[in-house]
């Protein structure tokens, strides 16, 4: 019953997005000296959690419903991170990647705070 609440799905989606983005940043840092390596990033959470991407607009609960969208698992969109490249063609800048890592940590902390607050509200509402 409670696993279908939108606030929990959104908090979980934000945490998963932050985790995937952190993995991408780690790969960028690991390839900082690789010639011709292009830094990657993923689309923002707002883009990946949009109505069209996740099906949060109209959902069908019966086969007779029109325009329902049940797509829940959409692939992550990887994009080339903008920025100049070094003489060997590598576009990774460690400073930019560290700034992104800090931003991702903040997003993950936000997701956990939303989840914790929502759980506290649920516990209070049922009297525990």
């Amino acid at each position: 019953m409670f696993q279908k609440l939108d606030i929990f799905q959104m908090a979980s989606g934000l945490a998963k997005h932050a985790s995937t983005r952190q993995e991408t940043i780690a790969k960028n840092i690991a390839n900082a000296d690789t010639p011709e390596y292009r830094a990657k990033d993923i689309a923002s959470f707002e883009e990946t959690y949009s109505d069209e991407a996740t099906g949060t607009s109209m959902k069908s609960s019966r086969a007779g419903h029109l325009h329902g969208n049940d797509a829940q698992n959409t692939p992550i969109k990887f994009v080339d991170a903008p920025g100049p490249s070094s003489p060997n063609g590598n576009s990774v800048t460690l400073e930019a990647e560290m700034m992104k890592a800090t931003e991702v940590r903040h997003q993950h902390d936000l997701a956990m705070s939303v989840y914790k607050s929502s759980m506290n509200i649920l516990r209070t509402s049922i009297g525990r």
Side-chain angles (χ1 to χ4, degrees):
M1 177 172 136
F2 291 119
Q3 59 268 41
K4 297 290 184 185
L5 294 176
D6 285 338
I7 190 73
F8 291 118
Q9 288 180 344
M10 185 176 290
S12 174
L14 183 57
K16 287 177 186 175
H17 179 270
S19 172
T20 304
R21 191 162 184 223
Q22 185 66 34
E23 288 176 18
T24 305
I25 291 167
K27 287 177 186 175
N28 287 344
I29 292 172
N31 288 299
D33 291 333
T34 305
E36 300 296 324
Y37 181 80
R38 304 296 301 165
K40 302 277 188 235
D41 203 353
I42 61 174
S44 69
F45 179 68
E46 292 81 14
E47 291 175 27
T48 57
Y49 199 77
S50 67
D51 288 348
E52 297 81 29
T54 60
T56 57
S57 57
M58 294 174 51
K59 296 178 184 169
S60 62
S61 59
R62 286 182 261 169
H65 287 175
L66 298 176
H67 307 295
N69 190 354
D70 291 328
Q72 290 297 321
N73 295 323
T74 58
I76 300 293
K77 296 181 243 175
F78 288 94
V79 295
D80 283 337
S85 61
S86 64
N88 69 356
N90 190 310
S91 67
V92 177
T93 58
L94 293 176
E95 294 85 6
E97 298 303 317
M98 296 308 289
M99 294 287 289
K100 288 181 201 175
T102 303
E103 179 184 335
V104 168
R105 185 183 62 83
H106 174 70
Q107 288 176 347
H108 189 268
D109 289 347
L110 175 65
M112 294 299 104
S113 295
V114 167
Y115 189 82
K116 182 179 177 182
S117 297
S118 299
M119 286 299 292
N120 287 338
I121 290 170
L122 274 176
R123 285 186 191 113
T124 302
S125 68
I126 61 174
R128 289 187 180 180

